[in-house]
C-alpha cells in the first residue's frame, strides 16, 4: 500500500539519441522560398566527441540531406561516406571513414532541403489574404515537442542544450524574425537579403523559432523597474491587423516586469516579440523571445471582442510569458516532467492575471476552468499521473492534457496555499537561480521549496505527482456531535474503486471550517485511510471540508450535513468558492454512484437566488452534462428542460438583454449564459427575442448585442431557427473583417442546428477550404449536444477517417480531439463496443489515451443513466416538471 512516505524516483526507459556525440553550438542558414513553398538550408554544428566512433546519429524528419562533412579541430573536413535516414525513429545516421576520437571537438556541416509543409509543425506555411484579396503565405515554425528535426538536422531533446546563430535569407521586401534581435542585414543578391540574428543563450531546440513574411507591428517598452532596463516588446501581425494587438501588448509590458519581480531574475533576452499566426494548431508556443499564437489567442478588437476573449488573451499571454523563465530559462530534463512547464505556467499565469486584472476574479474561475477539468479527467481509470513515464517521441503529444496543465496547476495551488505564498515563491526563486540555463526535475523543485518553507515538501507531494487519481472523502459525524471521522478512497466516475485500485493514501489538507469561525483549520491533514478530527458539528449551523475548494478531492457528507450546507447556500452564508465546490461535488458523486442524482437535483434548489457568474457557470455545465446523458430519454428530457427553465428563465428576465452602465465583465458574461441556457431549455420568449435581434443585427443594427450576448444569441438562433439564421451566421464567419473571436463563435454556433440537412451542411463545410485545418473542431463541437445528430457526426468521422488521418498525420493528437467530440457524448455499451471495433485494425498509438478515455466515459455515463433513470423520472414527476 502506498503512503505519504517519500516515493522513490521511478526508473524510466527512454528512447534517446546515443550520448557519444553532443552539440554545443549551431550556426543555421535557412532560405525559404514562399512561391515554391520549399527551403534550402545549411547547419554547422559544434560537437563534442565523448566516445570514439565512426558514426554520428542525430534527428532528422522529412528532410533531404544532400551533403555532410565533419572536421575535427583544425583538420580538413571529411565527407560522410554514407547518410542513412531512418523514418521510423526520425534519425539520420552519418557514417565516416575515419575514427572520431574521444575527447575531441569537431564541426559537423550538413546541407539539406525541406518543404514548407501545411501540417502546422516544423518549418511550415501559413496562408493569409492581403488587402487586395490575394492569398499569400508566410513561413513560421512549431517545434514543441519534437519537430525542430523537421526544420533542420539537430539533437532534438530537451537536455541537449546549445547556443544558436540564425541567419534567414529572404526576399528583401519581407520581415524575418527569430528568437534574438537582428545583428545585421546584408544584401544576398537576386533581390534577397541575409538577416543575421544575435547569438541565443544556451537553450533547447524546441524553443527555437523563425518567421518570414509580410508583417507589421506595434511596439511598447516595459518600465524596466524590475528588469533593470526597459524591454522592447512588439506584437506582429499580417498587414492590417496590428491595432488589434494593443491589448496583448499592454498585458505583456506589465506581466514581463511582474514576473521579473516575482521570480527575482530579469528577463534574459534583449527583446520580446509576439506574433499572430493564421494557421496554428495549439493556442500559443513559448519560443524564447518570439512567442507564436493563434490569432484568437492574441488579437482583440476593442469594440467588438467579447470580455471572455479579452480575458483569454490576458491569460494566454501571461502563461507564455511565465514560460520565459519556467521552461525556457530552466527546462524540464525530459517530457515526463512536462507538468513542470505547463502546470506551473497554468498556476503562475493565473497569478499574473489576478495581479493585473483583479476584477476578473480569475482564481474563482480557476475552479471551473482548471480544477474541475482536471478532476473530470483524473476520475477515469485511463487517466495518468502528473509525472508520466514517456518512452518514445510518439507518446509525448498525448500528455499535453488536463492532467499536465490543470491538475499540475491545481497541485501547485494546493501546495502554495499550505506552505504560504511567500515561502512558495521564495522556493521558486531559489530553484530558478540554481538551475538557470540548465535542466531540472520535479525533485529539484521540491528540494528548493522544502528549503524555503522548512517543510518536507517531497514527503507529501510525490504522492500527488507520481500516482494517478485523487480521493473522495467520506465524512461521518460521531456520537456527541464534537468530532467527525473522515475516510479517503480513490474516486472513480465509473463507480467505487476495487481494492486493487484503492491502494494509494493521499496527503490531504482538510481545511475544515465551521459556521461562525473566522478561518479554517489549516493544520488538519489526513494521511491515513481514516482519522478523527474535532469539529463542533452539533453546535455549528454547518461545517465544510476543503474550505475555498483548494484541495484535489471530492467530499461526501451525511444527508443532514448536506441539508445544512444547502440552507447556508440559500442564505448566502458561504463564499463563492465553497458554493462552487458543493454543487460540483454533489454532481460528481451522483455520476459515480456515491450518491444519487436526485440529491444533486434537490440541492440545485438552494441556488435559485444565486447571483455570481462563476457559480452559474458550474451549475450550467452540470445541468448540460445531465441533459446530455438523458438526451434520448424522451419523457425525462422534457422535464429536465422544464427544471432548467425554472432556474434560467428568471435569471434571463432579471438581467435582460442590454448592458447596465458600470457592470463588470462577469455580469456581462452571466447575462450571456442566462440567455443561452434559457433559450436552449425551451424558453420560447428568449428564443424568439434572440432570433429577432439576430435579424436586426444583420439588417445593420449592431446595437442589439453587446460583445458577450452576440455569441449566445447566435447559438440560440441556430438551435431554434432554420436555414435563414444558419446562412446569415455562416456568412458572418466567412467575413474576415469581423473580429476573429466572434467569427469563431459564429462557426461554433453552426453545430447547434438540429435539422439533419443543416447538420450535413456543417459537416461538409467543416472539411472545406473555408474552414482552416486548425478550426475544424470548432465547426463540429456543438453537434454532439443534439442527441439525434450524434450518429450523423460519428458516421462522418468514420467516413472521413482516412482524409482526417492524412491531414493531421503530423499532429495525430488532433485526431484524438476530433474523436472525443464525435463519440464521448454517446451512451450505451453497445455503442462503445462499436467504436472499439472500428479502431481495432487502425493505428491509434498517437491518440490511444483519448480513445480509452472516451470509451470509459461512454460506459460510465451508461452506468449512471441505468442506475438513476427511474429515480430521476420519479423525482421529476413528483415535483411537477
Amino acid at each position: 500500500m502506498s503512503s505519504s512516505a517519500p516515493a522513490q524516483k521511478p526508473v524510466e526507459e527512454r528512447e534517446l539519441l546515443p550520448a557519444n556525440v553532443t552539440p554545443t553550438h549551431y550556426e543555421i542558414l535557412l532560405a525559404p522560398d514562399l512561391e515554391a513553398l520549399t527551403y534550402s538550408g545549411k547547419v554547422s554544428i559544434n560537437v563534442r566527441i565523448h566516445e570514439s566512433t565512426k558514426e554520428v546519429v542525430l534527428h532528422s524528419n522529412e528532410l533531404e540531406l544532400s551533403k555532410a562533412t565533419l572536421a575535427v579541430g583544425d583538420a580538413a573536413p571529411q565527407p560522410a561516406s554514407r547518410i542513412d535516414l531512418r523514418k521510423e525513429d526520425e534519425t539520420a545516421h552519418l557514417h565516416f571513414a575515419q575514427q572520431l576520437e574521444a575527447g575531441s571537438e569537431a564541426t559537423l556541416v550538413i546541407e539539406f532541403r525541406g518543404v514548407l509543409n501545411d501540417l502546422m509543425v516544423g518549418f511550415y506555411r501559413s496562408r493569409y489574404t492581403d488587402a487586395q484579396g490575394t492569398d499569400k503565405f508566410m513561413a513560421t515554425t512549431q517545434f514543441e515537442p519534437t519537430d525542430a528535426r523537421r526544420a533542420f538536422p539537430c539533437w532534438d531533446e530537451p537536455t541537449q542544450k546549445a547556443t544558436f546563430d540564425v541567419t534567414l535569407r529572404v526576399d528583401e521586401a519581407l520581415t524575418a524574425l527569430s528568437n534574438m534581435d537582428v545583428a545585421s542585414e546584408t544584401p544576398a543578391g537576386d533581390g534577397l537579403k541575409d538577416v543575421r540574428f544575435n547569438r541565443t543563450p544556451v537553450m533547447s531546440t524546441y524553443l527555437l523559432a523563425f518567421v518570414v513574411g509580410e508583417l507589421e507591428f506595434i511596439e511598447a517598452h516595459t518600465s524596466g523597474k524590475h528588469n533593470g532596463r526597459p524591454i522592447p516588446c512588439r506584437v506582429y501581425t499580417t498587414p492590417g491587423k496590428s491595432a488589434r494587438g494593443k491589448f496583448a501588448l499592454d498585458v505583456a509590458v506589465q506581466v514581463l516586469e511582474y514576473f521579473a519581480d516575482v521570480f527575482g531574475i530579469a528577463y534574459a533576452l534583449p527583446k520580446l516579440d509576439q506574433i499572430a499566426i493564421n494557421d496554428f494548431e495549439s493556442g500559443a508556443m513559448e519560443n524564447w523571445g518570439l512567442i507564436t499564437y493563434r490569432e484568437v489567442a492574441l488579437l482583440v478588437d476593442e469594440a467588438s471582442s467579447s470580455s471572455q476573449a479579452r480575458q483569454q488573451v490576458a491569460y494566454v499571454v501571461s502563461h507564455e510569458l511565465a514560460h520565459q523563465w519556467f521552461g525556457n530559462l530552466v527546462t524540464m530534463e525530459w517530457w515526463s516532467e512536462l507538468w513542470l512547464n505547463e502546470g506551473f505556467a497554468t498556476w503562475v499565469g493565473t497569478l499574473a492575471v489576478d495581479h493585473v486584472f483583479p476584477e476578473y476574479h480569475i482564481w474563482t474561475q480557476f475552479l471551473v476552468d482548471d480544477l474541475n477539468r482536471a478532476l473530470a479527467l483524473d476520475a477515469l481509470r485511463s487517466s495518468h499521473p502528473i509525472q508520466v513515464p514517456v518512452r518514445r517521441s510518439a507518446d509525448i503529444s498525448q500528455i499535453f492534457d488536463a492532467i499536465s496543465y490543470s491538475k499540475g496547476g491545481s497541485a501547485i495551488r494546493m501546495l502554495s496555499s499550505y506552505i504560504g505564498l511567500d515561502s512558495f515563491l521564495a522556493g521558486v526563486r531559489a530553484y530558478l537561480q540554481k538551475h538557470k540555463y540548465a535542466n531540472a526535475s520535479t525533485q529539484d523543485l521540491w528540494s528548493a521549496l522544502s528549503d524555503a518553507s522548512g517543510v518536507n515538501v517531497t514527503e507529501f507531494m510525490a504522492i500527488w505527482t507520481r500516482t494517478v487519481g485523487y480521493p473522495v472523502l467520506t465524512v461521518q459525524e460521531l456520537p456527541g456531535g464534537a468530532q467527525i471521522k473522515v475516510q479517503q478512497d480513490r474516486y472513480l466516475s465509473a463507480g467505487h474503486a476495487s481494492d486493487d485500485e484503492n491502494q494509494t493514501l493521499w496527503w490531504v489538507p482538510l481545511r475544515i471550517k465551521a459556521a461562525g469561525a473566522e478561518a479554517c483549520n489549516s493544520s488538519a491533514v489526513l494521511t491515513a485511510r481514516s482519522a478523527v478530527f474535532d469539529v463542533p458539528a452539533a453546535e455549528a449551523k454547518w461545517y465544510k471540508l476543503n474550505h475555498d475548494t483548494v484541495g484535489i478531492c471530492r467530499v461526501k457528507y451525511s444527508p443532514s450535513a448536506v441539508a445544512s450546507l444547502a440552507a447556508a447556500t440559500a442564505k448566502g452564508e458561504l463564499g463563492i468558492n465553497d458554493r462552487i465546490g458543493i454543487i460540483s461535488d454533489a454532481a460528481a458523486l451522483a455520476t459515480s454512484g456515491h450518491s444519487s442524482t436526485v440529491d444533486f437535483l434537490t440541492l440545485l434548489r438552494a441556488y435559485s437566488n444565486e447571483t455570481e457568474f462563476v457559480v452559474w457557470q458550474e451549475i450550467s455545465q452540470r445541468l448540460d452534462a445531465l441533459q446530455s446523458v438523458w438526451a434520448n430519454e424522451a419523457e425525462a428530457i422534457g422535464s429536465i428542460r422544464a427544471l432548467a427553465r425554472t432556474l434560467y428563465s428568471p435569471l434571463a428576465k432579471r438581467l435582460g438583454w442590454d448592458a447596465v452602465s458600470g457592470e463588470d465583465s462577469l455580469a456581462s458574461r452571466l447575462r450571456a449564459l442566462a440567455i443561452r441556457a434559457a433559450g436552449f431549455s425551451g424558453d420560447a420568449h428568449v428564443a424568439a427575442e434572440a432570433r429577432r435581434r439576430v435579424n436586426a443585427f444583420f439588417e445593420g443594427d449592431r446595437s442589439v448585442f453587446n460583445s458577450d450576448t452576440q455569441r449566445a444569441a447566435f447559438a440560440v438562433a441556430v438551435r431554434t431557427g432554420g436555414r435563414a439564421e444558419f446562412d446569415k451566421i455562416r456568412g458572418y464567419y466567412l467575413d474576415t473583417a469581423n473580429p476573429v473571436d466572434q467569427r469563431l463563435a459564429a462557426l461554433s454556433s453552426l453545430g447547434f442546428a438540429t435539422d439533419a440537412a443543416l447538420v450535413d451542411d456543417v459537416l461538409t463545410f467543416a472539411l472545406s477550404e473555408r474552414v482552416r485545418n486548425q478550426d475544424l473542431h470548432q465547426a463540429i463541437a456543438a453537434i454532439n449536444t443534439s442527441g439525434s445528430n450524434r450518429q450523423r457526426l460519428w458516421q462522418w468521422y468514420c467516413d472521413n477517417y482516412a482524409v482526417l488521418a492524412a491531414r493531421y498525420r503530423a499532429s495525430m493528437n488532433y485526431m484524438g480531439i476530433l474523436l472525443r467530440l464525435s463519440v464521448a457524448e454517446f451512451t450505451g455499451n453497445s455503442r462503445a463496443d462499436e467504436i472499439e471495433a472500428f479502431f481495432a485494425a487502425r493505428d491509434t498509438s498517437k491518440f490511444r489515451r483519448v480513445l480509452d478515455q472516451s470509451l470509459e466515459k461512454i460506459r460510465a455515463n451508461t452506468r449512471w443513466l441505468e442506475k438513476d433513470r427511474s429515480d430521476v423520472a420519479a423525482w421529476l414527476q413528483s415535483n411537477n416538471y
Side-chain angles (χ1 to χ4, degrees):
M1 178 178 289
S2 300
S3 70
S4 57
Q8 296 298 311
K9 184 174 182 178
V11 176
E12 288 184 21
E13 291 186 10
R14 301 171 181 172
E15 293 183 359
L16 302 174
L17 291 174
N20 59 341
V21 181
T22 58
T24 60
H25 176 70
Y26 294 78
E27 187 170 330
I28 302 170
L29 171 64
L30 295 173
D33 184 336
L34 296 183
E35 297 294 330
L37 301 177
T38 60
Y39 66 97
S40 60
K42 180 179 180 181
V43 60
S44 177
I45 311 172
N46 295 348
V47 298
R48 292 190 178 121
I49 313 299
H50 302 287
E51 300 173 11
S52 298
T53 184
K54 289 186 176 183
E55 181 185 45
V56 176
V57 182
L58 71 167
H59 287 115
S60 178
N61 189 14
E62 299 191 3
L63 295 173
E64 177 188 329
L65 277 55
S66 56
K67 181 180 180 183
T69 63
L70 190 143
V72 178
D74 296 328
Q78 59 167 315
S81 59
R82 191 170 82 251
I83 300 175
D84 292 335
L85 299 178
R86 301 187 183 178
K87 184 176 179 61
E88 66 278 5
D89 57 5
E90 301 174 353
T91 56
H93 294 243
L94 312 179
H95 301 269
F96 296 94
Q98 299 177 24
Q99 182 91 340
L100 309 175
E101 297 299 334
S104 60
E105 296 189 355
T107 302
L108 174 65
V109 179
I110 304 173
E111 297 179 14
F112 58 96
R113 296 186 61 82
V115 174
L116 293 172
N117 67 70
D118 61 354
L119 303 173
M120 296 183 288
V121 293
F123 198 17
Y124 72 94
R125 63 184 185 261
S126 174
R127 175 175 49 87
Y128 68 96
T129 305
D130 68 12
Q132 287 70 46
T134 303
D135 279 353
K136 292 185 176 181
F137 291 100
M138 62 190 297
T140 187
T141 56
Q142 172 59 38
F143 291 164
E144 188 182 29
T146 57
D147 284 308
R149 65 191 69 175
R150 287 182 181 271
F152 62 100
C154 58
W155 278 258
D156 199 12
E157 296 167 358
T159 56
Q160 299 294 343
K161 288 193 168 188
T163 54
F164 296 82
D165 289 340
V166 174
T167 299
L168 298 176
R169 182 166 293 165
V170 302
D171 187 294
E172 58 189 5
L174 300 179
T175 298
L177 302 173
S178 190
N179 305 76
M180 296 295 289
D181 52 336
V182 174
S184 65
E185 288 193 14
T186 56
D190 296 325
L192 302 176
K193 62 182 178 182
D194 282 350
V195 183
R196 185 172 66 85
F197 299 90
N198 283 310
R199 182 167 297 183
T200 71
V202 173
M203 59 187 280
S204 302
T205 48
Y206 79 89
L207 296 168
L208 201 62
F210 334 115
V211 179
V212 177
E214 287 184 322
L215 302 172
E216 63 182 34
F217 68 88
I218 56 175
E219 183 177 35
H221 289 72
T222 72
S223 68
K225 179 180 179 181
H226 301 293
N227 278 297
R229 69 196 192 287
I231 307 295
C233 300
R234 291 180 175 180
V235 170
Y236 282 88
T237 69
T238 51
K241 297 180 179 178
S242 60
R244 294 179 179 177
K246 184 179 184 305
F247 178 74
L249 184 63
D250 291 345
V251 172
V253 298
Q254 295 179 74
V255 171
L256 206 59
E257 289 294 332
Y258 174 69
F259 281 153
D261 180 30
V262 166
F263 298 143
I265 298 175
Y267 175 66
L269 270 58
K271 56 88 176 177
L272 175 75
D273 292 335
Q274 302 178 95
I275 181 167
I277 308 295
N278 293 64
D279 297 290
F280 197 82
E281 184 192 355
S282 58
M285 175 60 208
E286 65 265 22
N287 316 299
W288 211 352
L290 177 56
I291 305 173
T292 45
Y293 297 82
R294 280 186 180 220
E295 285 193 326
V296 72
L298 188 67
L299 304 185
V300 167
D301 186 289
E302 294 290 342
S304 304
S305 288
S306 68
S307 59
Q308 182 179 1
R310 292 168 65 89
Q311 178 183 304
Q312 183 64 11
V313 167
Y315 169 73
V316 175
V317 168
S318 299
H319 181 108
E320 303 308 322
L321 291 185
H323 280 309
Q324 306 303 297
W325 285 265
F326 231 94
N328 299 7
L329 184 67
V330 179
T331 310
M332 81 244 144
E333 64 177 15
W334 180 240
W335 297 103
S336 54
E337 307 274 5
L338 175 67
W339 90 278
L340 269 180
N341 282 15
E342 300 302 349
F344 185 84
T346 298
W347 177 83
V348 82
T350 306
L351 188 72
V353 174
D354 187 57
H355 173 75
V356 178
F357 301 102
E359 66 273 19
Y360 288 171
H361 301 289
I362 196 165
W363 280 119
T364 298
Q365 295 187 59
F366 182 94
L367 303 186
V368 178
D369 297 338
D370 285 286
L371 176 59
N372 282 339
R373 181 167 167 251
L375 292 174
L377 180 53
D378 210 30
L380 300 175
R381 289 183 171 91
S382 48
S383 182
H384 62 82
I386 291 175
Q387 287 178 267
V388 56
V390 175
R391 179 178 179 179
R392 301 174 303 132
S393 298
D395 300 331
I396 296 170
S397 63
Q398 297 190 68
I399 63 170
F400 282 79
D401 63 7
I403 302 300
S404 297
Y405 285 73
S406 298
K407 188 182 180 185
S410 297
I412 291 290
R413 176 173 174 257
M414 180 174 66
L415 172 61
S416 63
S417 174
Y418 183 73
I419 67 174
L421 183 60
D422 290 343
S423 292
F424 181 83
L425 291 176
V428 167
R429 287 190 286 270
Y431 165 86
L432 291 171
Q433 189 64 45
K434 182 176 181 179
H435 300 286
K436 61 184 179 182
Y437 302 111
N439 298 84
S441 68
T442 298
Q443 184 55 54
D444 293 322
L445 177 60
W446 294 159
S447 296
L449 293 172
S450 297
D451 291 343
S453 66
V455 176
N456 188 344
V457 171
T458 305
E459 185 177 23
F460 52 82
M461 287 306 294
I463 273 292
W464 282 107
T465 60
R466 293 180 187 164
T467 59
V468 67
Y470 60 89
V472 53
L473 307 179
T474 302
V475 184
Q476 177 187 356
E477 295 168 10
L478 298 181
Q483 291 182 314
I484 58 173
K485 178 182 177 182
V486 183
Q487 176 172 317
Q488 63 163 302
D489 297 282
R490 183 179 176 187
Y491 173 82
L492 290 170
S493 58
H496 293 265
S498 68
D499 289 344
D500 287 343
E501 294 169 324
N502 195 27
Q503 294 295 303
T504 302
L505 295 180
W506 285 273
W507 171 89
V508 188
L510 296 181
R511 296 178 58 84
I512 305 170
K513 189 173 190 294
E518 291 188 6
C520 70
N521 179 359
S522 57
S523 63
V525 177
L526 180 65
T527 57
R529 175 65 65 196
S530 64
V532 174
F533 300 89
D534 293 333
V535 174
E539 298 176 9
K541 290 190 296 182
W542 53 264
Y543 66 91
K544 184 182 182 297
L545 277 65
N546 197 15
H547 172 60
D548 266 346
T549 315
V550 171
I552 304 173
C553 61
R554 297 293 186 192
V555 184
K556 179 185 178 183
Y557 300 95
S558 67
S560 61
V562 172
S564 297
L565 287 169
T569 297
K571 295 174 183 177
E573 295 176 3
L574 298 178
I576 298 175
N577 289 12
D578 285 326
R579 300 201 300 274
I580 293 170
I582 289 168
I583 197 68
S584 175
D585 284 351
L589 295 172
T591 301
S592 63
H594 288 83
S595 66
S596 167
T597 304
V598 166
D599 295 337
F600 163 70
L601 294 173
T602 302
L603 180 62
L604 271 180
R605 293 172 165 176
Y607 289 81
S608 58
N609 295 319
E610 180 59 57
T611 59
E612 295 293 337
F613 163 70
V614 188
V615 182
W616 276 111
Q617 187 181 19
E618 178 65 22
I619 291 170
S620 69
Q621 289 184 11
R622 297 299 174 175
L623 269 177
D624 285 351
L626 178 68
Q627 292 184 72
S628 178
V629 172
W630 263 257
N632 293 317
E633 300 294 304
E635 185 173 341
I637 191 62
S639 298
I640 293 172
R641 287 175 183 152
L643 164 65
R645 287 197 297 277
T646 67
L647 293 168
Y648 297 129
S649 294
L651 185 64
K653 185 176 181 179
R654 176 170 64 82
L655 295 173
W657 279 84
D658 301 317
V660 176
S661 177
E663 71 180 9
D664 63 17
S665 63
L666 297 188
S668 179
R669 290 173 66 183
L670 178 57
R671 176 181 296 106
L673 182 153
I675 289 169
R676 179 187 179 279
F680 274 45
S681 60
D683 186 316
H685 175 76
V686 169
E689 182 64 9
R691 295 192 300 273
R692 185 193 72 78
R693 288 183 179 242
V694 164
N695 288 330
F697 178 85
F698 285 108
E699 289 170 1
D701 183 3
R702 296 299 168 105
S703 69
V704 294
F705 299 131
N706 66 28
S707 57
D708 292 313
T709 54
Q710 178 179 319
R711 177 174 191 155
F714 279 12
V716 173
V718 172
R719 172 55 62 90
T720 65
R723 169 66 68 180
E725 290 84 1
F726 180 93
D727 286 344
K728 289 174 183 176
I729 291 168
R730 178 163 56 180
Y732 183 92
Y733 162 73
L734 291 171
D735 185 351
T736 57
N738 291 320
V740 63
D741 66 295
Q742 297 287 20
R743 290 183 61 225
L744 291 176
L747 177 63
S748 299
S749 297
L750 299 179
F752 288 118
T754 55
D755 179 76
L758 293 180
V759 173
D760 286 341
D761 274 8
V762 175
L763 293 171
T764 301
F765 183 62
L767 283 175
S768 74
E769 291 187 355
R770 310 302 293 274
V771 176
R772 292 183 182 272
N773 290 355
Q774 66 179 22
D775 296 327
L776 190 153
H777 70 285
Q778 301 261 19
I780 69 168
I783 296 175
N784 65 30
T785 63
S786 170
S788 60
N789 285 313
R790 289 172 187 168
Q791 171 58 31
R792 182 169 277 101
L793 176 59
W794 165 235
Q795 191 62 52
W796 169 87
Y797 184 90
C798 295
D799 292 345
N800 292 283
Y801 182 83
V803 173
L804 295 169
R807 178 184 290 190
Y808 299 107
R809 64 182 175 81
S811 50
M812 288 295 282
N813 197 45
Y814 197 80
M815 284 293 288
I817 293 172
L818 299 178
L819 169 64
R820 181 186 288 115
L821 292 173
S822 299
V823 306
E825 298 307 311
F826 277 129
T827 54
N829 291 326
S830 60
R831 180 69 74 178
D833 294 343
E834 174 194 336
I835 294 163
E836 203 163 25
F838 175 81
F839 286 105
R842 291 173 168 82
D843 180 8
T844 61
S845 59
K846 293 185 179 180
F847 58 91
R848 185 74 217 184
R849 286 187 189 275
V850 174
L851 175 57
D852 290 343
Q853 290 158 7
S854 298
L855 293 171
E856 186 176 350
K857 182 182 177 184
I858 293 170
R859 291 175 173 132
N861 282 342
T862 301
R863 179 184 175 278
W864 176 25
L865 177 62
E866 292 174 348
K867 171 181 70 73
D868 282 355
R869 175 188 278 122
S870 60
D871 288 347
V872 168
W875 186 90
L876 291 168
Q877 184 177 16
S878 66
N879 286 277
N880 300 315
Y881 290 113

